[in-house]
Amino acid sequence: MENASESTIKGTGVVAGVAYAEAVWVRPRPALPTEGSIDPEQASDSEYDRFLAAVDTVAGRLEQRAAAAEGQAAEVLTATAGMVKDRGWHKAVRKNIRTGRNAEFATVGATDKFVTMFEAAGGVMAERTTDLKDVRDRVIAELRGEDEPGLPLVDGEAVLFADDLAPADTATLDTKHIKALVTELGGPTSHTAIIARQLDIPCIVAVGAALSDIESGTLVFVDGAVGAVTLGADEEASTKAVAEYRERAARVAQWRGPAETKDGHRVQLLANVADGNAARIASDSQAEGIGLYRTELSFLSASEEPSVDEQAKIYGKVFKAFPESKVVVRTLDAGSDKPISYATLSSEENPALGVRGLRIARDNEALLTRQLDAIAQAAEARDDKASTWVMAPMVATSTEAQWFAGLCRERGLTAGAMIEVPAAALMADKIMPHLDFVSIGTNDLTQYTMAADRLSPQLAYLTDPWQPAVLRLIQHTCIVGQANNVAVGVCGEAAADPMLACVLTGLGVNSLSAASTAVAGVGAQLAEVTLEQCQQLSEVALDAESPDAARTAVVERMESFA
Ligand code: PEP
Ligand code: MG
């Protein structure tokens, strides 16, 4: 698809898939004025008219978008238009203009007043302050003659470009029109990446400043599998690639588990969940069970440790969604970016390298044993066919693995450990004999292998699960797993990437656990390759010099199978 006028910029691909459409930028929020005056004797009526004209334009645009949208998106847009037309807000702006403020500054003051009121009321009212600020920003931009901030109006198809996306920007994102997301900042675990995975649209993050040189209206070809944005791409080849991708997406929608390769090699596909609600949603997907239940996420705002009975109730809700299946419960992974007030130390110089995960229980074993008691209690009520596996996060040594496994077995629980510290992968032969299974956490394994903070957008090029160094640690873990007859799963973001899932299968991973929305894509991809082809893919990935080279080599080898 090389073309003389073609140029490509690279970022980190987080959701595979291609799109060919015009770029549209999400405009940044306007800087708010801190002053601005008029002579109230002379100009207050005309200034207020200027405000009302801006209000009419903004409300009209939102209503136009509402008419073109459906369902919840239409409701959100209609409600936002209603807020723009709110008479109480207009009155407050008018009052401010009469004291000598210009329309922009008067709008800021009037909005602040309502925001304070809503925040004091709390609950649902407080949640509306984001919408109110959004309305303020749209009106201020209109008053200044600037582009409307937030999501632009899109009639046909478009690729959305942004510095980064906020949750509010994505609430009404309509995949009928938006065919891919590309951001300057962000990383594989940023909000943009999570939303893109949920919507299942191609996504590239961390492209860097070069992205801002591409203007709205430029035709771009986006390839999420390799993280490339191409300008001047060949039209015929791009359109063909998009048609093939859509055909594939349709096949994914049709895919039904359980997963196996073309030649019948079984791979268990499981879901990652945070609570009972996510588990219920996962039970509607093709996931066979739960491969990672992140228990700590239920306790992030708890000030006191819930009792054993209370915890058992919470865990029971997750078990209920998969009454007869395998559920892997991870014990508290508190600390680092997930502080829990009753469990973690309040200040550490380097929390990601500090007392997190299983390490917390060294000085507080009762915290762990109460959680294991609660898991055992909830598991007791499960069907006989169901299996409940328990694993510890951040295991680094065989002593830790042995100690944890002992506590689990005293309670009749199947014991495992996450392999997310490079030492655990390297010492797998000493760790595994104590365990029934291991699950590789590629998010942290990548962070610690590459010595790169997984939350840093600047280091997204390092925190890429395609890093051959990480794949080599996974390969070693799988070899030791086979020798010890210990099941090896992967439950980090790597398992959500269909291409990488084939590589992991080739390395010998037995189960893959990912966001439930990713399961069908992974299953459909595995169905198209044989185990021997997966092994070929893993060889080329292991041999690559960089994550980009690994991805490209795997995509090329995959194409050669067709
Ligand atoms: C991981 O580190 O890959 C993992 C699955 O755990 P978490 O993302 O919760 O740290
Ligand atoms: Mg982890």
Side-chain angles (χ1 to χ4, degrees), residues 330 333 338 356 393-394 418 420 441 443-445 454:
R330 178 173 73 185
D333 186 20
K338 292 177 285 196
R356 62 166 290 203
M394 290 295 289
M418 290 195 70
E420 52 185 351
N443 306 335
D444 277 316
L445 186 61
R454 64 193 262 186

